Amino acid sequence: MRILIVEDERSISEVVKAYLKKEGYEADTADDGLRAMELFNESRKKNAPYDLIILDLMLPRLSGYEVCKQVRTNSSVPIIMLTAKGTESDVIAGLDAGADDYVIKPFSPRVLVARVRAHLRSSTGAEHANENSTVIKIGNVDIDITAREIRRDGKSVNVTRNEFLVISTLASKPDKTFSRDELISKAFGDDYEGFDRTIDTYVKNLRRKLGGDNSNDYIRTVHGFGYRIGME
Ligand code: CA
């Protein structure tokens, strides 16, 4: 597994690289956004694309948002953003640009490595393989818990790990309305240091990817409370 670390603070990228190496991952580092795009494009040309990207948002030459958008034009590689503490709007902008997840600085390298592991596991689909085979249907959408796949009219829809966790959590209890806090703790676990508004971004992305015509398709907004699955 090869990981690209994009971070202009060498002290951070070196520590992260050392931790990833200890876990058996190979890692390259880029000090700025343009260099990141060079490495990303080269890796694709060589037919050895990166398995995951760790991406700082504040970067010289090309911002992390731009890198994210450019990568997303032709790749669904998991992207974990690194962002400064207390910048909820930055996090939301990053998720909008197509990042899968975020870790807030200063962070523990162990936490970051755990997130990396979780994303790599889910992109190979093995994480929940021991659960009973379950497919939950919402209209023309199938949520395949076992395969960790969302299908619309039988065709696979490309969702990120966190988007999958959000919709599968909602679908697991179709009668229940979840508050944002509850959804975070059920979907991501209690140690997830998330802003509750990021759930809104995941929901918005899911509705868009599923091709809903209006804002209540597939996932219903319960005003003043949270969300529930939109069973017809
Ligand atoms: Ca930076």
Side-chain angles (χ1 to χ4, degrees), residues 7-9 56-60 105:
E7 168 61 77
D8 55 322
E9 286 171 64
D56 186 29
L57 284 185
M58 304 300 278
L59 290 168
K105 287 179 175 180

Side-chain angles (χ1 to χ4, degrees), residues 86-105:
T87 51
E88 186 174 353
S89 55
D90 288 351
V91 166
I92 290 172
L95 296 173
D96 275 339
D100 296 84
D101 201 357
Y102 60 94
V103 170
I104 294 171
K105 287 179 175 180

Side-chain angles (χ1 to χ4, degrees), residues 1 16 22-23 30 44 66 90 105 130 133-134 141 144 188 210:
M1 292 280 189
V16 170
K22 245 194 317 194
E23 294 285 318
R44 285 174 65 89
E66 276 306 316
D90 288 351
K105 287 179 175 180
N130 58 346
S133 171
T134 312
V141 169
D144 188 331
F188 309 137
L210 294 174

